[in-house]
Amino acid sequence: MHLEVIADKPVQIYHVQIEIEDINDNYPLFSANEFKLVIAESRLPGSRFPLEGALDADVGTNSIMTYQLSSSEYFVLDVQTYTQESKSLELVLKKALDREHIPVHNLTLTASDGGKPKLSGTAQLEITVQDVNDNAPTFSQLFYQTSVSENSPKGTFVVKVNSTDLDQGENGVIVYAFNKMMPSYVTSLFSIDENTGIIRVEGDVDFEKSNLYEIQVDAVDKGQYPMAGHCKVLVNILDMNDNPPELTVTSLNVPVPEDSSPGTVVAIISAHDRDSGVNGKVNCHISEHIPFKIKPTFMEYYSLVVNGPLDREVLSQYEVVVTARDEGIPVLSVTKTIRIEISDVNDNAPSFVEPFGTIFIKENNAPGSHIYTVSAFDSDVSQNSFITYSLIESTIDGIPISSYISVNPENGKLYALLSFDYEQITFIHCQVRATDAGLPSLSSNLTLNVFILDINDNAPTFSPPFIMASTVTEMVPRSATVGYLVTKVKAFDADCGYNAWLSYEFKDPAENTPFSIGRHTGAITLTRSIKTSEREEYKVFIVVKDHGEPEMSATTTVNVMVVETKENIDVEHKTHERKYEGFAEENVYLIMSICLITSLFLIVLIVYASVKWHKHTQEVNELRKMNVCSSTTGSWIYSQQLQYKMCMNGMFAPNDLILFTPNCAQQTEQDGTLNQPKQPHPDWRYSASLRAAMQSAVHVEGSAVLRQGPGGLEQQWPTVSSATPEPDGGEVSPPVGAGVNCNSWTFKYGPGNPKQPVPQIPPDFPENFIIPGSPAIISIRQDQPSAQDPPKSNNFITFGKKEETKKKKKKKKGSKNQEKGNNAADNSDQ
């Protein structure tokens, strides 16, 4: 600040310069709080737009230092500094703009100074995206349907088409017009407002000339390069009375789906009266107790909407009566009935009258024959009620059910694919599925029980041995009394019920036949005794019949032989009963099992016999090498280590037991002299019974005989004493002849040891038996009683030698008698 100071006395003028020191007391200010920019959406990224900077009254560091722009994905701020007082601001476009996406961008520009405290000022940037014509007009509906009453005056509203354009300005301004390809007679009857899209009546609309017009409407924008959209309008001409108010249904959306929710618009109704004022004011209402209601929308239009649940299966069509009354005097009214059809929704599955069905089929039916017809109904209509039938896959003994039965998918007829046999299959359980053609499809099942009925197609069959073309012989004792069971005939029938109920009778029975047959049991019995003078053979023809229709029968022959005794007959009867009892059913698997087990048993038996025979042959060969000698007094020579084996053969024992005693050949010693037969050892003792036996029987080494006496079995084989000085000792130590331990019999003789009785052999005792725990087999035979002896049986038990102990013996030359003795010993051993 420059000041002038005047001083008086003397007067002087002083020039004063005052410098005002700046402080940061001013905010940066923009020229306006909001700046508006218009940028075309066609501008490319990288485009720059200059901005006006802010002003700060302060100077120096208190003036404006920096600028900031709020975050944006489309814009960025570029600041160019030339001098401290000169800065350039530019808005740079980073990303292409889309007005239809974001029409306006609001950004904040902030200017800050460098003072302390730091002050800043802001300005709002409103960037408007300028539209370009890059979107074509779009109709809200591609298809419009409306109605117009006949004789409607010019300008009568038909329908209003509505289209939108996402562009702006001239690019979004839409002009409506008829398509140039429309016939001229249509364009002469209707007109369209190019600005509103309302189609009106332009000429005389006559229902009798045409009741339907098709209008093609184009919507074109006013862009530099115009773009167009298209729709079609169907105008129904309604025949109306000219005097009452005009009631028009301009839009009727029928049929109405039965699952429509309340509030669904069914129709737009236009009620118009050519009168004016009160006389032209129309009020509308509809009939009551229907699931619809009418409500006013604007001016002369009413909306008919759903007001309750719809069910096409309960009522498939509604007749809504719309009544329009004016308020004139007298009141004039018009009534219009709107028929609303309820369209079907697949909400009902096909259903059968009953969930189960029973079918009866006689066996031996013709393949392909019709056996049953299933029928289902569906409350729906059209394709929702088109029913197809199919079999649910299942199996019978591994065979698909479709191999037995087929179903026609269109009419539900069931056919038998093969001829059924009751004897193979009696019952079939299957299910038939009925499926409609709706989306999604619904289905239900019907369970069928198919019973195969038996017919009499199998003749009775006799059980073995009473089979056809064969004769069974039965024997009857002549002494048999009345009621004696000769035999019992058995038969079976593969059928069932009455077809398998069998009755037996004689075919052409003789008047004097002594036999009768049980009608239902098949038992042949004697009705009287057979006299001696009567014949000895009867041939009986037996007929078995079933109770089917037609009756079927079978015949067999029984040859009855009359014999004198009854024993053979009882045996024969038991054999036949055991042989054929239960064979009627002929269980093949049982027979195969028996055959297999028998074969295995025979194989084991043959192998076992072969092994035994081979071992026995070796033993016989060893026996042939033995030296069996007897002294002149018939003494026995034993080996203390001698063991016995008792062998069995399958032949009947001879009536007499013959034992050959081999003669020991005199052998030459090394000195050339003949050896005399060896005398018994002085330690050997013989009991009186043994000496008696030695005098009356021939003894062979390794064999002995038990003979049944009055007191039981008696042992008749040599007994060895224990070499004690007492002559009457009789203890056998070690025991000789019958073996040792648990497998041997110990015999004690002498005064203190009387002969031990042997248990009696029962009559049913086997001819050959095995001693448990011993490798010996005992062979027993019976002698026929003589005339001198009392009636009793003499039992002999023969023990065969198993093997000879291995002892070193001197080699001796055997004579022919020696060989004969060996052969005799072999025979005895066997």
Side-chain angles (χ1 to χ4, degrees), residues 627-652:
N627 293 325
V628 184
C629 301
S630 175
S631 64
T632 56
T633 60
S635 63
W636 295 72
I637 299 175
Y638 292 88
S639 170
Q640 291 184 358
Q641 297 181 358
L642 185 62
Q643 297 180 1
Y644 293 89
K645 180 175 181 181
M646 303 163 193
C647 303
M648 175 183 71
N649 57 42
M651 301 175 60
F652 294 101

Side-chain angles (χ1 to χ4, degrees), residues 287-400:
S287 54
E288 298 179 351
H289 307 296
I290 57 174
F292 300 97
K293 71 177 181 178
I294 189 170
K295 61 180 182 179
T297 55
F298 58 94
M299 296 179 65
E300 300 175 351
Y301 290 93
Y302 297 85
S303 295
L304 181 64
V305 297
V306 177
N307 192 35
L310 303 177
D311 191 351
R312 195 208 62 83
E313 287 70 38
V314 176
L315 188 60
S316 61
Q317 181 176 293
Y318 291 90
E319 291 186 353
V320 180
V321 178
V322 181
T323 303
R325 292 189 179 92
D326 57 25
E327 296 182 1
I329 299 175
V331 177
L332 297 178
S333 65
V334 63
T335 300
K336 185 174 182 63
T337 301
I338 302 176
R339 182 172 298 174
I340 302 175
E341 294 183 358
I342 308 301
S343 63
D344 184 52
V345 175
N346 194 25
D347 56 350
N348 292 278
S351 59
F352 295 92
V353 177
E354 294 182 356
F356 299 95
T358 304
I359 305 174
F360 297 94
I361 305 174
K362 290 186 177 181
E363 63 174 332
N364 300 334
N365 58 293
S369 59
H370 173 247
I371 59 174
Y372 194 72
T373 300
V374 296
S375 179
F377 66 92
D378 196 322
S379 301
D380 299 324
V381 294
S382 186
Q383 72 174 22
N384 295 331
S385 64
F386 182 76
I387 300 175
T388 57
Y389 301 90
S390 62
L391 282 175
I392 297 178
E393 282 299 329
S394 60
T395 58
I396 301 176
D397 297 333
I399 302 175

Side-chain angles (χ1 to χ4, degrees), residues 14 199 235 261-262 278 341 352 360 404 474 493 495 537 547 609 640 653 664 695 819 830:
Y14 296 93
I199 300 176
V235 180
S261 59
V278 177
E341 294 183 358
F352 295 92
F360 297 94
Y404 295 92
E474 300 288 346
D493 196 319
D495 298 323
E537 183 178 356
H547 288 71
Q640 291 184 358
C664 291
Q695 293 176 2
E819 295 176 355
Q830 294 177 2

Side-chain angles (χ1 to χ4, degrees), residues 735-765:
V736 180
V740 295
N741 298 331
C742 63
N743 294 331
S744 65
W745 293 356
T746 303
F747 302 90
K748 300 179 181 180
Y749 289 97
N753 296 286
K755 289 190 294 183
Q756 301 296 325
V758 180
Q760 295 295 321
I761 300 176
D764 57 349
F765 199 85

Side-chain angles (χ1 to χ4, degrees), residues 78 84 256 516 635 748 756 790:
D78 185 16
Q84 185 177 0
V256 180
S516 67
S635 63
K748 300 179 181 180
Q756 301 296 325

Side-chain angles (χ1 to χ4, degrees), residues 29-84:
L29 296 176
F30 289 94
S31 61
N33 292 330
E34 184 179 5
F35 297 96
K36 294 184 179 181
L37 284 77
V38 177
I39 302 175
E41 62 178 334
S42 60
R43 294 295 294 269
L44 299 177
S47 300
R48 292 176 175 269
F49 307 96
L51 298 177
E52 183 180 351
L55 297 178
D56 193 333
D58 296 326
V59 296
T61 57
N62 294 328
S63 64
I64 296 174
M65 300 296 294
T66 59
Y67 289 93
Q68 288 184 345
L69 184 67
S70 60
S71 61
S72 173
E73 62 176 321
Y74 291 94
F75 298 96
V76 66
L77 183 65
D78 185 16
V79 180
Q80 298 292 335
T81 303
Y82 302 105
T83 62
Q84 185 177 0

Side-chain angles (χ1 to χ4, degrees), residues 570-740:
D570 294 339
V571 173
E572 186 71 20
H573 272 291
K574 291 179 181 179
T575 303
H576 277 289
E577 289 177 0
R578 287 195 302 267
K579 183 176 180 180
Y580 297 105
E581 185 177 5
F583 197 76
E585 297 183 0
E586 296 184 3
N587 195 326
V588 178
Y589 297 102
L590 181 59
I591 295 175
M592 292 175 63
S593 301
I594 294 173
C595 293
L596 179 60
I597 295 172
T598 305
S599 301
L600 293 175
F601 174 74
L602 290 176
I603 292 172
V604 173
L605 187 60
I606 292 172
V607 173
Y608 177 76
S610 300
V611 173
K612 284 295 184 181
W613 177 254
H614 179 69
K615 193 171 184 181
H616 176 68
T617 304
Q618 292 178 349
E619 294 172 355
V620 171
N621 293 334
E622 291 177 0
L623 289 174
R624 289 179 179 176
K625 299 177 182 180
M626 293 171 53
N627 293 325
V628 184
C629 301
S630 175
S631 64
T632 56
T633 60
S635 63
W636 295 72
I637 299 175
Y638 292 88
S639 170
Q640 291 184 358
Q641 297 181 358
L642 185 62
Q643 297 180 1
Y644 293 89
K645 180 175 181 181
M646 303 163 193
C647 303
M648 175 183 71
N649 57 42
M651 301 175 60
F652 294 101
N655 293 332
D656 296 328
L657 177 64
I658 303 175
L659 301 176
F660 296 93
T661 303
N663 295 324
C664 291
Q666 295 181 353
Q667 301 181 4
T668 306
E669 300 267 346
Q670 293 180 357
D671 54 2
T673 62
L674 295 175
N675 292 330
Q676 297 297 328
K678 294 182 180 181
Q679 297 299 325
H681 195 277
D683 291 338
W684 289 75
R685 298 291 185 268
Y686 297 90
S687 64
S689 61
L690 179 59
R691 289 195 296 272
M694 291 171 59
Q695 293 176 2
S696 60
V698 181
H699 304 283
V700 179
E701 181 183 9
S703 64
V705 175
L706 296 179
R707 180 180 294 276
Q708 181 177 356
L713 293 176
E714 298 178 357
Q715 178 188 11
Q716 295 185 4
W717 58 4
T719 304
V720 182
S721 70
S722 60
T724 59
E726 291 80 12
D728 296 332
E731 292 290 337
V732 180
S733 178
V736 180
V740 295

Side-chain angles (χ1 to χ4, degrees), residues 149-335:
S149 300
E150 65 174 336
N151 300 324
S152 296
K154 286 185 178 182
T156 301
F157 177 83
V158 177
V159 69
K160 180 179 180 180
V161 295
N162 185 25
S163 66
T164 57
D165 195 324
L166 298 178
D167 296 327
Q168 195 178 27
E170 294 294 324
N171 296 328
V173 175
I174 299 173
V175 176
Y176 298 94
F178 291 144
N179 191 282
K180 296 180 180 180
M181 300 181 65
M182 286 180 55
S184 58
Y185 73 91
V186 177
T187 57
S188 63
L189 294 177
F190 300 95
S191 64
I192 186 169
D193 191 319
E194 64 178 7
N195 296 321
T196 61
I198 297 177
I199 300 176
R200 298 181 181 276
V201 175
E202 184 66 24
D204 294 330
V205 179
D206 191 355
F207 178 85
E208 285 72 27
K209 291 182 178 180
S210 178
N211 61 352
L212 179 66
Y213 293 95
E214 183 176 323
I215 303 173
Q216 299 283 347
V217 179
D218 294 341
V220 183
D221 60 25
K222 293 184 177 181
Q224 184 178 2
Y225 301 100
M227 302 183 74
H230 309 281
C231 75
K232 180 182 291 186
V233 179
L234 290 180
V235 180
N236 294 309
I237 307 303
L238 301 178
D239 188 13
M240 303 294 294
N241 192 345
D242 298 338
N243 296 324
E246 296 178 0
L247 190 61
T248 306
V249 178
T250 58
S251 179
L252 181 62
N253 298 323
V254 291
V256 180
E258 61 178 328
D259 59 347
S260 298
S261 59
T264 301
V265 177
V266 177
I268 300 298
I269 301 173
S270 174
H272 176 70
D273 196 323
R274 289 179 297 175
D275 298 333
S276 60
V278 177
N279 294 331
K281 188 176 181 179
V282 180
N283 297 316
C284 293
H285 65 273
I286 61 174
S287 54
E288 298 179 351
H289 307 296
I290 57 174
F292 300 97
K293 71 177 181 178
I294 189 170
K295 61 180 182 179
T297 55
F298 58 94
M299 296 179 65
E300 300 175 351
Y301 290 93
Y302 297 85
S303 295
L304 181 64
V305 297
V306 177
N307 192 35
L310 303 177
D311 191 351
R312 195 208 62 83
E313 287 70 38
V314 176
L315 188 60
S316 61
Q317 181 176 293
Y318 291 90
E319 291 186 353
V320 180
V321 178
V322 181
T323 303
R325 292 189 179 92
D326 57 25
E327 296 182 1
I329 299 175
V331 177
L332 297 178
S333 65
V334 63
T335 300

